[in-house]
């Protein structure tokens, strides 16, 4: 099954999403991480579309969703997701989010109590600070992101340049090709351009640093699952932020996977999907 590319106007912007059909089944909304795109979920969506009406959304500034103008941050994207849900009148909703995709899904759940039935978060940081980065380390990360090369001679050249980089080398082939196909566009001269501008990606990282995430821990109805990777700086089930979050939800389960980086769902899609399916089917 191949998805249908669709667009709607919600929260003042045109939002792009991939619709995998099966509209008679319960809806499942999947949201990608910063700098990525809806297509990284292809292997998940293909499998889950037999039991769900799968919808993979592109965040503001990503894929074919409108680029941000003026002030923007993850809180605005959370409002985008809530507006998207209301526009499509989605109820009895399931959700999957990776990293910031989980964060904005959590925000939408907070803004629309009772809308989500179950949400699976993968490597979503619940700390008020985005990571254990120092301000100096954050500055290095922002500089590296802003200096990212956006234009490439061809998709083949981009593939060869990216495939063995530390970030991507452990991704499954389907996750990686999904990122390239959905996260780039061909320009008139035949060259390739990343759809998410490096400055937009960096700005999201910058505004996430120091953000008060726990103000969205209220009004969280439904059931939640948080899957964690295994790397230096990874969250621990006993992290105070996770314990606070669990105490404020109806029901939440945290599972340390014992492997994987922050890109856990893209490195180990089969193992991650297996845990998510158990959670959804329980």
């Amino acid at each position: 099954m191949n998805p249908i590319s669709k667009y709607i106007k919600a929260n003042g912007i045109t939002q792009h999403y991939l619709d995998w059909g099966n509209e008679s089944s319960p809806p499942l909304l999947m949201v990608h991480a910063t700098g990525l795109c809806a297509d990284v979920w292809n292997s998940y969506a293909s499998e889950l579309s037999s039991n769900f009406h799968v919808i993979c959304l592109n965040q503001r500034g990503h894929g074919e969703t409108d680029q941000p103008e003026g002030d923007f941050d993850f809180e605005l994207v959370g409002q985008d997701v809530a507006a998207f849900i209301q526009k499509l009148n989605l109820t009895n909703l399931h959700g999957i989010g990776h990293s910031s995709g989980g964060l904005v899904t959590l925000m939408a759940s907070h803004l629309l109590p009772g809308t989500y039935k179950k949400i699976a978060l993968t490597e979503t940081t619940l700390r008020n600070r985005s990571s254990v980065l120092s301000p100096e380390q954050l500055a290095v990360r922002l500089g590296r992101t802003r200096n990212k090369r956006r234009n490439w001679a061809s998709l083949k050249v981009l593939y060869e340049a990216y495939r063995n980089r530390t970030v991507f080398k452990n991704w499954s082939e389907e996750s990686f090709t999904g990122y390239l196909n959905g996260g780039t566009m061909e320009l008139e001269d035949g060259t390739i351009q990343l759809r998410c501008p490096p400055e937009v990606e960096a700005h999201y990282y910058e505004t996430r640093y120091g953000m008060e995430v726990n103000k969205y821990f209220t009004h969280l109805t439904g059931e939640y699952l948080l899957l964690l990777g295994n790397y230096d700086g990874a969250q621990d089930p006993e992290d105070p932020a996770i314990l606070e979050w669990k105490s404020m939800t109806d029901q939440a389960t945290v599972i340390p996977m014992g492997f994987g980086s922050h890109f856990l769902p893209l490195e180990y899609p089969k193992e991650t999907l297996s845990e998510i399916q158990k959670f959804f089917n329980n």
Side-chain angles (χ1 to χ4, degrees):
M1 178 187 296
N2 293 316
I4 298 174
S5 181
K6 294 185 177 182
Y7 305 82
I8 64 166
K9 192 86 170 183
N11 205 31
I13 63 170
T14 298
Q15 300 193 41
H16 174 249
Y17 62 102
L18 301 177
D19 190 321
W20 287 80
N22 196 12
E23 295 185 11
S24 62
S25 295
L28 167 60
L29 182 58
M30 305 180 71
V31 190
H32 62 84
T34 304
L36 305 185
C37 63
D39 301 68
V40 299
W41 292 121
N42 286 348
S43 63
Y44 290 77
S46 179
E47 179 76 19
L48 291 166
S49 60
S50 59
N51 295 312
F52 292 95
H53 174 202
V54 179
I55 298 167
C56 299
L57 176 65
N58 274 307
Q59 294 189 40
R60 183 184 295 237
H62 299 73
E64 296 179 48
T65 293
D66 282 350
Q67 290 294 320
E69 296 179 359
D71 292 334
F72 65 95
D73 54 22
F74 285 126
E75 297 185 74
L76 179 59
V77 180
Q79 295 165 18
D80 289 343
V81 175
F84 179 89
I85 291 168
Q86 291 179 308
K87 188 75 173 184
L88 291 184
N89 193 30
L90 301 178
T91 57
N92 192 31
L93 182 60
H94 288 64
I96 300 175
H98 171 215
S99 189
S100 69
L103 178 61
V104 298
T105 298
L106 202 66
M107 291 178 183
S109 180
H110 162 87
L111 293 169
L112 302 172
T115 298
Y116 279 96
K117 183 177 181 179
K118 293 188 176 185
I119 293 176
L121 308 174
T122 61
E123 267 300 302
T124 293
T125 302
L126 299 177
R127 300 166 182 157
N128 277 343
R129 290 174 59 142
S130 62
S131 69
V132 295
L133 293 179
S134 67
E136 293 75 20
Q137 291 171 320
L138 176 65
V140 171
R141 180 181 185 184
L142 295 178
R144 185 169 59 244
T145 302
R146 290 187 168 109
N147 288 328
K148 181 189 293 187
R149 180 177 172 184
R150 190 179 182 193
N151 295 316
W152 296 82
S154 68
L155 206 56
K156 181 176 183 293
V157 171
L158 177 57
Y159 180 99
E160 292 175 349
Y162 269 24
R163 191 63 180 105
N164 291 316
R165 290 189 179 183
T166 301
V167 169
F168 301 108
K169 66 181 181 180
N170 293 325
W171 287 28
S172 73
E173 187 65 13
E174 191 164 7
S175 298
F176 184 69
T177 55
Y179 163 65
L180 292 188
N181 292 333
T184 64
M185 58 183 173
E186 185 175 348
L187 303 180
E188 291 182 1
D189 62 1
T191 60
I192 298 298
Q193 184 178 80
L194 297 177
R195 287 189 179 275
C196 180
E199 178 56 41
V200 169
E201 183 179 356
H203 184 77
Y204 277 124
Y205 294 145
E206 190 169 25
T207 58
R208 172 63 178 87
Y209 192 78
M211 178 181 165
E212 294 182 8
V213 177
N214 60 353
K215 69 182 180 182
Y216 293 103
F217 291 174
T218 60
H219 312 303
L220 296 181
T221 57
E223 298 178 40
Y224 297 83
L225 171 69
L226 174 61
L227 301 179
L228 304 177
N230 182 27
Y231 56 95
D232 288 343
Q235 294 177 103
D236 182 275
E238 298 304 312
D239 187 308
I242 290 179
L243 295 177
E244 180 183 6
W245 168 68
K246 288 181 68 177
S247 73
M248 298 179 72
T249 62
D250 286 348
Q251 184 175 337
T253 301
V254 181
I255 299 179
M257 297 292 281
F259 49 77
S261 74
H262 182 61
F263 296 98
L264 168 72
L266 309 179
E267 296 167 337
Y268 297 93
K270 290 182 181 179
E271 294 85 350
T272 303
L273 178 57
S274 177
E275 291 294 341
I276 291 173
Q277 287 178 312
K278 290 177 190 176
F279 169 61
F280 282 169
N281 293 332
N282 186 10

